[in-house]
């Protein structure tokens, strides 16, 4: 199975700062990578699909990049509602797999 | 508006069976693959199983292969997860999730239900 490694585990930033989250895969997944946001007590929400496409209703401050085995989720200027846990997920090969998550917390 | 609502969770002993159900509305159910994803308390997300549009193809995670069975009823807009031989490590919040694109079994999940909790304990 493809293993997804997210870093850092925790990112401590202030509102208005730029957040850069990494997801590395154990083998190439082409561009078949998605990012999800999860807030406490809520279901995950799709943010980015196919590496760089924003899902419906997602603000432009969220952007995704990368291909192959190295991906990045960038939040250009953090809003208070962006502090959450973010997961990456690959859909290239069964079983589908998720990364362990990056928590973006308020500094 | 897409709505997914899971049911059937509860507290059970190891070795028993449990059946989860997800009721879907707000979209053409028969056009989308459906999946189950779980999250153990305080842990990350784990994909469990997916089913194609007609139910002809099913996929399972390594940890549940041979114990769980996914099925769907396109006439009732429901997707079920039959869980047999439950283990303590199956304890999790189980989410029902909808595939993003029409017809694709392997895709991102663009809608999620609130989840149903399964606790396996003696």
């Amino acid at each position: 199975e493809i293993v997804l490694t997210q870093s850092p585990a925790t990112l401590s930033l202030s509102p208005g700062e730029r957040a850069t989250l990494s997801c590395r895969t154990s083998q190439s997944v082409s561009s078949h990578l998605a990012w999800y946001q999860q807030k406490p007590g809520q279901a995950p929400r799709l943010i980015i699909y196919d590496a760089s496409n924003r899902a419906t209703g997602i603000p432009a401050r969220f952007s995704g990049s990368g291909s192959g085995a190295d991906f990045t989720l960038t939040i250009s200027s953090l809003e208070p509602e962006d502090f959450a846990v973010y997961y990456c997920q690959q859909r290239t090969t069964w079983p589908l797999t998720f990364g362990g998550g990056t928590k973006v917390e308020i500094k | 508006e897409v709505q997914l609502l899971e049911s059937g969770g509860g507290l059970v002993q190891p070795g028993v069976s449990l059946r989860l159900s997800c009721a879907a509305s707000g979209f053409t159910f028969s056009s989308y693959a459906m999946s189950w994803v779980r999250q153990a308390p305080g842990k990350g997300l784990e994909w469990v199983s997916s089913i194609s549009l007609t139910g002809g193809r099913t996929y399972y995670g390594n940890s549940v292969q041979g114990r769980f069975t996914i099925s769907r009823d396109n006439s009732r807009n429901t997707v079920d997860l039959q869980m047999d031989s439950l283990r303590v490590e199956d304890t999790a919040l189980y989410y029902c999730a909808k595939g993003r694109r029409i017809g694709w079994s392997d895709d991102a999940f663009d809608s999620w239900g609130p989840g149903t909790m399964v606790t396996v304990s003696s």
Side-chain angles (χ1 to χ4, degrees):
Chain A
E1 82 178 37
I2 298 177
V3 176
L4 279 63
T5 302
Q6 291 188 240
S7 62
T10 304
L11 198 52
S12 298
L13 296 168
S14 301
E17 289 194 293
R18 182 184 189 89
T20 303
L21 288 66
S22 173
C23 177
R24 288 195 166 92
T25 62
S26 61
Q27 62 190 75
S28 176
V29 298
S30 183
S31 62
H32 301 154
L33 190 103
W35 291 92
Y36 300 86
Q37 175 193 69
Q38 188 178 33
K39 298 178 182 179
Q42 296 184 18
R45 178 173 70 144
L46 178 65
I47 300 294
I48 297 287
Y49 64 91
D50 290 348
S52 61
N53 298 282
R54 278 190 302 277
T56 303
I58 301 304
R61 63 180 181 273
F62 289 89
S63 63
S65 63
S67 66
D70 197 353
F71 299 87
T72 300
L73 173 68
T74 301
I75 310 171
S76 59
S77 178
L78 283 163
E79 296 288 338
E81 61 268 27
D82 300 336
F83 292 91
V85 179
Y86 293 83
Y87 296 94
C88 56
Q89 175 238 328
Q90 67 80 22
R91 65 171 186 87
T92 282
T93 305
W94 302 100
L96 307 182
T97 46
F98 288 89
T102 290
K103 181 179 181 181
V104 180
E105 66 176 22
I106 299 176
K107 186 174 182 180
Chain B
E1 178 192 3
V2 172
Q3 291 197 349
L4 301 171
L5 185 61
E6 305 90 342
S7 61
L11 172 62
V12 297
Q13 291 188 329
V16 306
S17 298
L18 198 62
R19 189 177 186 91
L20 306 183
S21 189
C22 171
S25 62
F27 63 103
T28 305
F29 182 75
S30 59
S31 294
Y32 293 88
M34 297 297 295
S35 299
W36 289 92
V37 177
R38 70 184 181 184
Q39 186 169 35
K43 302 297 184 182
L45 301 171
E46 180 187 11
W47 171 76
V48 173
S49 182
S50 296
I51 188 166
S52 63
L53 313 185
T54 63
R57 286 172 292 162
T58 57
Y59 308 88
Y60 298 95
N62 294 337
S63 61
V64 306
Q65 179 79 49
R67 299 188 299 124
F68 290 11
T69 303
I70 192 171
S71 61
R72 67 189 295 162
D73 185 337
N74 287 345
S75 67
R76 296 173 56 233
N77 289 0
T78 58
V79 56
D80 291 352
L81 186 68
Q82 175 67 37
M83 304 186 296
D84 298 324
S85 303
L86 281 163
R87 304 169 179 169
V88 171
E89 54 266 34
D90 294 320
T91 294
L93 184 63
Y94 284 73
Y95 293 105
C96 173
K98 168 187 165 290
R100 187 182 66 84
R101 284 177 294 181
I102 291 175
W104 286 71
S105 290
D106 55 337
D107 205 347
F109 308 123
D110 68 350
S111 298
W112 299 64
T116 187
M117 186 68 201
V118 173
T119 303
V120 184
S121 175
S122 55

